[in-house]
Amino acid sequence: MQHTPDTAYHYNVMRRAIDLIDAAGDPLSLDALAGEMGMSPAHFQRVFSRWVGVSPKRYQQYLTLGHAKALLADRFTTLEAAHEAGLSGSGRLHDLFLRWEAMSPGEFAKGGAGLTIYWGWFDSPFGLALVMGTDKGICGLGFAAEMGEDWAMEDLVTRWPKADFIEDPLRLRPWVLAAFGAEEAELSHAPLYLIGAPFQIKVWEALLRIPSGHVTTYSEIAGSIGNPRAVRAVGTAVGRNPVSWLIPCHRALRKSGGLGGYHWGLPVKRALLAYESARIEA
């Protein structure tokens, strides 16, 4: 996906900034942060402002390790309330132009037998992304910035071991452009095709009810699907979400305010949360 000419570059700059911010402990000035990045303050300011619409000083606050606690205090979402407010289903997903349907349990049990899955690599705001899809919609999206391309490919392919995989980025490109909100997107929506066990799909549907820029907890998700004691199983299902970003598992946090895990690397989770927070306030 050609989101902008330098989206992958932006992610790499941001990733280095996370390391610097963590190592410093105290907030860094624009001049100090830009200097550590080997960039002029003006160029560094332009890169970040173009990416998320806020200054590097403000963005630093979103990248700090305490940002998750602030989100839980200020933007915690009760999933039942979100549902009652009409934030579920395709109506809640207006920001990503998504619609979705799920594979039947019988089809899932076949391990993808008889299913053709197309795949391709695309630049994204969060580094290189591997996207997979069937004729019905996107079924896989993983990030390679932290885990590597080979690992990302093996991870998604082994989820549906009996499927036929065909490299075809051109087929997927219109959906990917719509999914990441690219200016050149021509489609009004990016369809999702959820391939998972029934319990997993329940959890993923709950994740789809969390508005952009907001968060919830694993225990809240467990309660919302009618199984409040299944927090550990919910955490496993969240971790097995095959469609990162679009099924927003990065919005699930621990009650303590800890980030919890993230399948594609915690720096990516922090980037996703910071990106969404910045976009809300921009």
Side-chain angles (χ1 to χ4, degrees):
M1 180 196 79
Q2 313 310 316
H3 183 75
T4 65
D6 48 4
T7 46
Y9 167 70
H10 286 180
Y11 174 78
N12 289 330
V13 170
M14 183 282 311
R15 177 64 182 88
R16 289 165 56 206
I18 288 180
D19 290 339
L20 292 169
I21 292 166
D22 288 349
D26 297 323
L28 296 170
S29 69
L30 172 62
D31 287 350
L33 191 53
E36 291 284 354
M37 302 293 286
M39 303 166 69
S40 71
H43 179 54
F44 184 63
Q45 178 102 2
R46 281 197 303 271
V47 167
F48 269 80
S49 296
R50 191 186 316 143
W51 193 50
V52 291
V54 298
S55 70
K57 180 179 179 180
R58 184 64 175 142
Y59 192 65
Q60 259 193 96
Q61 297 173 8
Y62 302 136
L63 289 177
T64 60
L65 292 170
H67 180 53
K69 289 185 179 180
L71 282 173
L72 278 177
D74 299 335
R75 296 191 190 139
F76 172 75
T77 293
T78 300
L79 294 177
E80 284 80 0
H83 184 75
E84 291 170 4
L87 295 174
S88 62
S90 58
R92 120 83 189 106
L93 293 166
H94 61 87
D95 56 338
L96 292 176
F97 310 106
L98 292 174
R99 62 176 174 81
W100 77 87
E101 63 177 285
M103 173 178 276
S104 73
E107 290 174 317
F108 171 71
K110 296 178 181 177
L115 197 64
T116 298
I117 296 178
Y118 308 96
W119 63 272
W121 290 100
F122 299 86
D123 284 334
S124 86
F126 313 105
L128 194 62
L130 174 61
V131 182
M132 294 186 174
T134 70
D135 289 328
K136 294 184 177 182
I138 294 173
C139 66
L141 195 163
F143 296 112
E146 302 297 324
M147 314 305 289
E149 294 177 33
D150 291 342
W151 188 91
M153 175 66 76
E154 181 180 2
D155 180 271
L156 287 180
V157 166
T158 54
R159 292 169 187 252
W160 312 295
K162 297 180 181 178
D164 294 319
F165 291 87
I166 298 175
E167 183 176 10
D168 194 347
L170 289 179
R171 178 188 287 265
L172 300 171
R173 188 175 185 273
W175 294 347
V176 176
L177 289 172
F180 283 109
E183 293 180 1
E184 66 267 40
E186 297 179 358
L187 295 181
S188 61
H189 64 259
L192 270 181
Y193 188 50
L194 309 188
I195 303 177
F199 180 83
Q200 291 175 322
I201 289 174
K202 273 189 179 182
V203 171
W204 301 340
E205 288 176 342
L207 290 170
L208 287 166
R209 295 205 298 273
I210 309 170
S212 179
H214 292 68
V215 295
T216 196
T217 62
Y218 298 104
S219 57
E220 171 69 23
I221 294 171
S224 74
I225 63 172
N227 205 337
R229 294 185 178 181
V231 176
R232 186 181 296 273
V234 163
T236 300
V238 169
R240 291 298 293 168
N241 163 32
V243 190
S244 298
W245 173 245
L246 304 183
I247 300 175
C249 54
H250 58 280
R251 298 176 194 159
L253 305 175
R254 291 174 177 160
K255 269 186 175 180
S256 64
L259 283 174
Y262 190 64
H263 193 72
W264 306 103
L266 283 178
V268 177
K269 184 172 186 173
R270 288 171 66 188
L272 295 168
L273 291 170
Y275 182 90
E276 290 184 334
S277 293
R279 302 290 276 200
I280 279 185
E281 296 193 14

